[in-house]
């Protein structure tokens, strides 16, 4: 074989290889673009997309004074409905104008905006003594916390100790 024929063969081989690489790249790009969005009929994931261990979040009022603190041993965020689950949550009211209120539970779950938090498993609410009012302790196995009006409610059996 002549050197000229080998040069032509190498040139054509390079062009064919470049064409195959371009076709494969185009195919993979189209495949990735189709799979970006949610698939029809696919169920949203019930697995958390992130978690945080031993976290503390403090809410401030417009003046920058702490008014509430939420802590938990573990937080898990679920992207399907933007909800959050807690293990051993503790909510504490830090408003200096009101008696300190602490709320503990074994488990908790908040909706997407954090407006409703459901606590379960050995829920204990403790209000500190204030002036002429003695300490108050409320025990139940389930409670709902409405964050905006600052209300805790339950439809389960409650033990109140004062």
């Amino acid at each position: 074989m002549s050197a000229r024929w080998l040069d032509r063969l190498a040139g054509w081989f390079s062009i064919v290889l470049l064409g195959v690489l371009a076709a494969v790249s185009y195919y993979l790009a189209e495949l990735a673009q189709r799979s970006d969005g949610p698939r029809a009929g696919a169920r949203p994931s019930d697995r958390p997309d992130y978690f945080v261990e031993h976290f503390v979040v403090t809410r401030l009022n417009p003046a920058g004074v702490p008014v509430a603190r939420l802590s938990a041993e573990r937080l898990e965020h679920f992207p399907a409905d933007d909800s959050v689950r807690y293990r051993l949550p503790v909510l504490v009211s830090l408003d200096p104008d009101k008696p300190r209120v602490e709320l503990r539970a074994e488990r908790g779950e908040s909706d997407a905006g954090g407006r409703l938090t459901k606590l379960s498993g050995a829920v204990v609410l403790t209000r500190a003594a204030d002036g002429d009012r003695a300490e108050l302790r409320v025990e139940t196995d389930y409670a709902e916390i409405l964050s905006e009006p600052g209300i805790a409610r339950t439809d389960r059996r409650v033990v109140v100790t004062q």
Side-chain angles (χ1 to χ4, degrees):
M1 293 192 171
S2 71
R4 188 171 180 197
W5 189 83
L6 288 175
D7 287 341
R8 284 185 181 172
L9 182 64
W12 280 107
F13 180 73
S14 298
I15 291 172
V16 169
L17 182 62
L18 186 61
V20 168
L21 287 174
V24 168
S25 296
Y26 177 78
Y27 171 74
L28 291 175
E30 285 295 314
L31 189 64
Q33 197 172 32
R34 286 187 211 146
S35 66
D36 277 349
R39 287 170 279 177
R43 287 185 28 201
S45 173
D46 59 349
R47 301 173 84 188
D49 59 345
Y50 66 85
F51 68 92
V52 180
E53 292 190 352
H54 307 290
F55 85 101
V56 177
V57 176
T58 303
R59 191 175 80 198
L60 308 174
N61 66 12
V65 177
V67 292
R69 181 178 65 228
L70 170 64
S71 62
E73 185 176 292
R74 183 176 174 97
L75 169 148
E76 295 177 332
H77 177 263
F78 293 85
D81 58 357
D82 203 25
S83 65
V84 179
R85 290 187 192 150
Y86 311 99
R87 183 173 52 204
L88 299 176
V90 178
L91 289 93
V92 180
S93 169
L94 302 173
D95 191 341
D97 300 330
K98 298 178 183 175
R100 181 182 171 113
V101 175
E102 185 175 291
L103 193 55
R104 295 178 173 271
E106 292 175 1
R107 294 172 303 283
E109 184 174 336
S110 292
D111 63 2
R115 293 174 296 276
L116 175 65
T117 300
K118 298 176 182 179
L119 301 174
S120 59
V123 179
V124 178
L125 180 142
T126 307
R127 186 194 70 211
D130 181 42
D132 58 343
R133 296 190 307 184
E135 180 181 276
L136 176 72
R137 182 178 172 96
V138 178
E139 298 175 53
T140 185
D141 63 349
Y142 175 81
E144 293 180 348
I145 311 303
L146 303 171
S147 64
E148 193 54 42
I151 295 173
R153 66 183 183 195
T154 186
D155 58 355
R156 311 275 173 90
R157 185 176 86 87
V158 175
V159 176
V160 178
T161 308
Q162 188 168 16

